[in-house]
């Protein structure tokens, strides 16, 4: 498949299709068009040429990393030490590896981007590379004005979300002894090619972010579907609203949604806009299709859950195994279903004998995430983890208070609306009907309405 070994002078296989290879050649011609100096081949380009081309679209550190990764590619053992510049062969092979290659091929170039020395790299060097990569994604998308309505703002005094997401990506790395890189005490460990290759394979965000940086940083005219990376943000016209979420948080959560729902997020409820009211929450989120719910507790922890089905007010659990809980701050993580039970979603209101509130995971009075009908209160109970989602305690305190809550519908707007019932509230609430009769008050609608068909 592709243009393998067909490009003149190409020592290694390119995986680009002919039309893609033409675009790679066009970019190389633009980069190598500067008048060569006495020690520069006319068919190569320098670091300065790359920086001139990229301009301010990428941080200087990432441009240098990309250049070093390309110029140190060894074309089948032909290079005795890194060249000063990047040849056409090196450029084509590097781009092929990073954009189209498997985890082994990607790791070849990434190792050279991480460190200038040959052999294993230190875990702290991988950490710095990952922070630079995540920061570069936000930088280039902001520069190209492709944040799709989201912001890169963060709360004052909080750990930058770049570092939080980078820490999550690094935590997926398995060291040679099989342990995950979970603490600063492990940053001195060596990471060889096998470790980096395994990390790239199991952490798709690394390859995805590199692709965004290259496509948007170099202005490559190749296909890149940003719609499933960053969803379009929709808020009702005339409403000024600063979300709890920044663009990196959205990218992280969005990547865990079913693909068909990743292209658009539509605000259903925000406590800042619609008030601190559980009734308002229920009225705005029910029968709206799948949605993401999140809140920020009074200790600045940010967390929430994804509901794969429309919320309905009823005393039974609902949802399916596509639901999950997540944490955004102080650490990013997603917690998926264990299969232990089907207590995915729960929403109830107006009952006296069973809990009233919104819950996900666990059981009554012991939810993985619970929003009480007394809006502003909730709990996250997990000793040691939630039975439904294997999540730890998400909030700073087991019983927490919160000021900010948001719910976003994902994907296209739901086209199915709930069937309006012809029943009176008294038909479905027998307790209210009995109380009315005991008090001696009559039902004025009795005999004036048709009996609902299901009661006939």
């Amino acid at each position: 498949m592709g243009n393998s070994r067909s490009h003149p002078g190409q020592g290694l296989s390119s995986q680009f299709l002919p039309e893609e290879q033409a675009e790679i050649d066009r970019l190389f011609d633009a980069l190598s068009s500067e008048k060569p100096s006495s020690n520069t081949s006319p068919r190569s380009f320098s670091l300065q040429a790359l920086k001139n081309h990229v301009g301010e679209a990428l941080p200087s550190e990432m441009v240098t990393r990309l250049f070093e990764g390309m110029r140190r590619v060894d074309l089948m053992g032909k290079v005795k030490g890194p060249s000063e510049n990047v040849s056409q062969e090196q450029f084509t092979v590097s781009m092929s590896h990073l954009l189209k290659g498997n985890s082994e091929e990607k790791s070849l170039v990434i190792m050279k981007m991480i460190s200038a020395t040959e052999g294993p790299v230190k875990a702290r060097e991988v950490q710095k590379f990952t922070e630079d990569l995540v920061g570069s994604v936000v930088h280039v998308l902001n520069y190209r004005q492709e944040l799709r309505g989201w912001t890169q703002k963060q709360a004052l005094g909080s750990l930058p979300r770049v570092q939080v997401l980078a820490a999550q990506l690094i935590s997926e790395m398995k060291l040679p002894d099989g342990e995950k890189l979970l603490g600063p005490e492990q940053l001195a460990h060596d990471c060889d090619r096998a470790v980096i290759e395994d990390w790239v394979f199991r952490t798709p965000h690394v390859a995805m972010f590199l692709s965004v940086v290259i496509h948007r940083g170099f202005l490559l005219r190749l296909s890149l579907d940003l719609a499933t990376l960053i969803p379009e943000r929709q808020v009702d016209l005339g409403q000024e609203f600063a979300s709890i979420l920044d663009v990196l948080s959205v990218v992280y959560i969005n990547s865990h949604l079913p693909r068909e729902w990743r292209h658009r997020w539509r605000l259903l409820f925000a406590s800042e806009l619609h008030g601190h009211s559980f009734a308002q929450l229920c009225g705005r989120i029910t029968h709206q299709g799948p949605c993401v719910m999140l809140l920020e507790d009074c200790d600045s922890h940010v967390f929430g859950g994804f509901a794969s089905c429309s919320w309905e007010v009823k005393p039974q659990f609902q949802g399916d195994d596509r639901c999950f809980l997540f944490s955004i701050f102080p650490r990013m993580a997603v917690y998926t279903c264990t299969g232990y039970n089907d207590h995915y979603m729960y929403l109830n209101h107006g009952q006296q004998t069973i809990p009233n509130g919104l819950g996900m995971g666990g059981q009554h009075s012991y939810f993985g995430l619970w929003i009480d009908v007394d809006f502003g209160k909730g709990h996250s109970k997990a000793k040691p983890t939630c039975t439904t989602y294997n999540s730890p305690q998400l909030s700073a305190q087991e019983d927490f208070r919160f000021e900010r809550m948001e719910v976003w519908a994902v994907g296209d707007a739901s086209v199915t609306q709930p069937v309006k019932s012809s029943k009176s509230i008294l038909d479905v609430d027998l307790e209210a009907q009995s109380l009315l009769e005991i008090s001696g008050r009559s039902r004025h609608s009795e005999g004036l309405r048709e009996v609902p068909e299901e009661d006939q």
Side-chain angles (χ1 to χ4, degrees), residues 54-58 137-147 152 216:
V54 171
E56 297 180 0
L58 290 173
V137 170
V138 179
H139 182 105
V140 72
L141 292 176
N142 183 56
Y143 184 82
R144 302 293 186 202
Q145 298 183 339
E146 293 185 285
L147 294 179
Q152 55 178 332
R216 290 302 187 258

Side-chain angles (χ1 to χ4, degrees), residues 268 278 281-291 307-320 344-351 354-359 370 414 416-419:
L268 296 178
F278 193 81
L281 173 68
C282 291
R284 298 190 70 89
I285 73 171
T286 50
H287 305 289
Q288 295 293 325
C291 57
S308 58
C309 306
S310 284
W311 286 102
E312 295 182 40
V313 178
K314 61 182 182 180
Q316 294 87 27
F317 283 97
Q318 51 196 292
D320 59 34
Y344 309 116
M345 301 160 52
Y346 176 89
L347 179 61
N348 206 15
H349 190 207
Q351 299 293 321
I354 50 180
N356 293 308
L358 183 153
W370 174 255
S414 177
T416 58
Q417 296 297 325
V419 178

Side-chain angles (χ1 to χ4, degrees), residues 161-232:
R161 295 282 169 89
V162 166
Q163 294 180 25
V164 176
L165 180 51
Q168 194 285 324
L169 300 182
I170 286 291
S171 72
E172 297 296 325
M173 179 179 291
K174 287 187 177 180
L175 297 170
D177 59 7
E179 290 187 21
K180 283 196 171 184
L181 188 64
L182 297 176
E185 67 278 0
Q186 296 171 306
L187 292 178
H189 278 69
D190 286 334
C191 302
D192 59 17
R193 257 282 307 286
V195 169
I196 300 300
E197 180 183 335
D198 177 71
W199 177 55
V200 172
F201 176 77
R202 290 187 300 101
T203 315
H205 286 91
V206 176
M208 181 198 310
F209 288 168
L210 276 169
S211 181
V212 171
V213 164
I214 292 169
H215 278 86
R216 290 302 187 258
F218 293 178
L219 280 181
L220 266 180
R221 296 195 291 258
L222 297 178
S223 175
L224 176 66
D225 186 11
L226 278 180
T228 57
L229 176 70
I230 308 175
E232 178 189 359

Side-chain angles (χ1 to χ4, degrees), residues 363-383:
Q363 59 191 27
H364 292 322
S365 304
Y366 205 90
F367 283 91
L369 174 56
W370 174 255
I371 306 301
D372 198 79
V373 69
D374 185 5
F375 197 84
K377 296 180 180 178
H379 72 241
S380 177
K381 297 187 179 182
K383 295 189 184 303

Side-chain angles (χ1 to χ4, degrees), residues 94-290:
S94 299
M95 293 296 98
S96 176
H97 283 356
L98 289 175
L99 299 179
K100 309 274 282 189
N102 57 31
S103 54
E104 178 184 5
E105 292 164 330
K106 285 182 170 63
S107 66
L108 277 169
V109 184
I110 290 172
M111 285 284 286
K112 300 178 189 305
M113 292 176 66
I114 291 173
S115 174
T117 60
E118 296 298 327
V121 296
K122 294 295 184 182
R124 66 170 57 91
E125 293 178 299
V126 184
Q127 180 187 47
K128 183 61 170 67
F129 163 79
T130 309
E131 290 177 355
D132 287 352
L133 177 61
V134 174
S136 296
V137 170
V138 179
H139 182 105
V140 72
L141 292 176
N142 183 56
Y143 184 82
R144 302 293 186 202
Q145 298 183 339
E146 293 185 285
L147 294 179
R148 309 195 77 198
W150 302 97
T151 70
Q152 55 178 332
K153 295 178 181 178
Q154 63 187 47
L156 293 175
S158 67
L159 190 67
R161 295 282 169 89
V162 166
Q163 294 180 25
V164 176
L165 180 51
Q168 194 285 324
L169 300 182
I170 286 291
S171 72
E172 297 296 325
M173 179 179 291
K174 287 187 177 180
L175 297 170
D177 59 7
E179 290 187 21
K180 283 196 171 184
L181 188 64
L182 297 176
E185 67 278 0
Q186 296 171 306
L187 292 178
H189 278 69
D190 286 334
C191 302
D192 59 17
R193 257 282 307 286
V195 169
I196 300 300
E197 180 183 335
D198 177 71
W199 177 55
V200 172
F201 176 77
R202 290 187 300 101
T203 315
H205 286 91
V206 176
M208 181 198 310
F209 288 168
L210 276 169
S211 181
V212 171
V213 164
I214 292 169
H215 278 86
R216 290 302 187 258
F218 293 178
L219 280 181
L220 266 180
R221 296 195 291 258
L222 297 178
S223 175
L224 176 66
D225 186 11
L226 278 180
T228 57
L229 176 70
I230 308 175
E232 178 189 359
R233 179 185 188 266
Q234 289 189 344
V235 178
D236 289 345
L237 289 175
Q239 291 186 332
E240 292 293 329
F241 174 67
S243 175
I244 301 170
L245 295 169
D246 68 322
V247 67
L248 287 178
S249 306
V250 172
V251 166
Y252 179 67
I253 299 170
N254 202 54
S255 68
H256 291 85
L257 302 181
R259 190 173 184 85
E260 63 269 24
W261 295 332
R262 294 181 187 175
H263 60 284
R264 181 177 296 111
W265 286 27
R266 177 171 51 90
L267 185 68
L268 296 178
F269 173 83
S271 54
E272 288 189 3
L273 296 177
H274 306 116
H276 289 232
S277 164
F278 193 81
Q280 274 284 343
L281 173 68
C282 291
R284 298 190 70 89
I285 73 171
T286 50
H287 305 289
Q288 295 293 325

